[in-house]
Amino acid sequence: MRPLTDRVRLWAALCGPAAVVVSLVGWLVAGVLPIPLGPGSSTSEVVEFYSHDVRVMTGLVIASFGVSLVLPFVAAVTLELLEIEGRTPLLSFIQLASGAATSVLLLIPMLLMAFLSFRPDRSPELTVTLNDLAWLLFLTPIVPFIIQDVAIGLAILGDPQQRLPRWLGYLNLWVAFCFLPDPLAFFFHSGPLAWNGVLVFWLALAAYAVWLVVVGVIIYRRHRGPAVTAVPNAA
């Protein structure tokens, strides 16, 4: 039988892939996917989206649970980095702080969108304004996540014992690079650099999903060894 802390560690690692699945299900239910609203969407299109209040709120509540699963996942990653760094866990603490900030920045836009669907009869202009705020807040504050990924990548690549594969360190750096176009969403209302564009929304979504799944699975496999069975003392 595994100790409880070991089982929790495995569950926390699997929260990465679970966050992807639950969030995508929530966005599909809400209608955020497969075709999200964009900065070029008309006022009537935005108001019509939030008029399906029960569906939208249900999906966004599910998505809120999904993005919240990132928090235990960040804790699992922190344990890995603590083992790598030992008595000077600077990168571990950087990863923990930036990962926690990223989780909050993912959750707040979900709550804002749910708030919009709570009272769909409000002023159309206010609905459009808050929708813009939710989407831009969801996609543009990417610096904490980039810092988190760089910290993980440097820790893995700098580990002389190579507890985690080196390619995972490079994957973290690559995922951080994929998020660099996101702040450009402030400057474009259409095209690949708009908030619903290929280089902002879809590239970031794909990279983040790959990151959560791959890192979670690697950590899970590293610690899923056979449980230690207690041997009773001889009489």
Side-chain angles (χ1 to χ4, degrees):
M1 184 69 178
R2 289 182 183 277
L4 177 60
T5 52
D6 289 349
R7 283 179 282 159
V8 171
R9 186 173 193 167
L10 293 176
W11 297 337
L14 291 179
C15 282
V20 176
V21 174
V22 176
S23 298
L24 290 178
V25 168
W27 292 334
L28 285 168
V29 171
V32 173
L33 295 177
I35 304 176
L37 292 172
S41 298
S42 66
T43 299
S44 61
E45 289 173 329
V46 175
V47 171
E48 169 64 18
F49 175 81
Y50 289 105
S51 66
H52 304 284
D53 51 347
V54 175
R55 185 202 72 190
V56 174
M57 278 192 291
T58 300
L60 291 170
V61 167
I62 294 172
S64 298
F65 278 99
V67 298
S68 297
L69 291 174
V70 173
L71 285 167
F73 174 75
V74 168
V77 175
T78 303
L79 285 180
E80 298 298 309
L81 268 60
L82 285 170
E83 291 182 2
I84 291 173
E85 291 191 287
R87 299 181 64 181
T88 54
L90 178 60
L91 293 173
S92 303
F93 291 145
I94 291 174
Q95 189 278 147
L96 177 61
S98 55
T102 298
S103 302
V104 173
L105 290 171
L106 289 173
L107 180 60
I108 290 176
M110 300 300 100
L111 299 178
L112 272 174
M113 291 181 190
F115 166 78
L116 278 167
S117 60
F118 177 72
R119 199 181 298 277
D121 58 344
R122 63 169 50 87
S123 162
E125 292 76 15
L126 182 58
T127 298
V128 172
T129 299
L130 292 175
N131 177 69
D132 290 349
L133 175 63
W135 275 101
L136 289 171
L137 187 60
F138 181 48
L139 291 165
T140 57
I142 44 82
V143 176
F145 178 65
I146 290 178
I147 292 173
Q148 179 189 13
D149 260 14
V150 170
I152 297 170
L154 292 178
I156 294 173
L157 295 174
D159 181 14
Q161 297 186 32
Q162 285 301 291
R163 296 170 179 84
L164 296 171
R166 286 183 64 83
W167 64 261
L168 189 62
Y170 290 115
L171 174 68
N172 276 269
L173 298 179
W174 173 79
V175 171
F177 177 80
C178 289
F179 276 76
L180 289 176
D182 281 30
L184 295 175
F186 283 118
F187 302 96
F188 293 88
H189 285 238
S190 62
L193 292 173
W195 83 48
N196 63 336
V198 172
L199 295 180
V200 173
F201 179 76
W202 292 107
L203 178 60
L205 177 62
Y208 195 60
V210 167
W211 178 77
L212 286 169
V213 172
V214 171
V215 176
V217 169
I218 291 294
I219 294 174
Y220 177 81
R221 287 181 174 176
R222 181 169 182 251
H223 297 282
R224 70 170 181 179
V228 176
T229 304
V231 178
N233 294 328

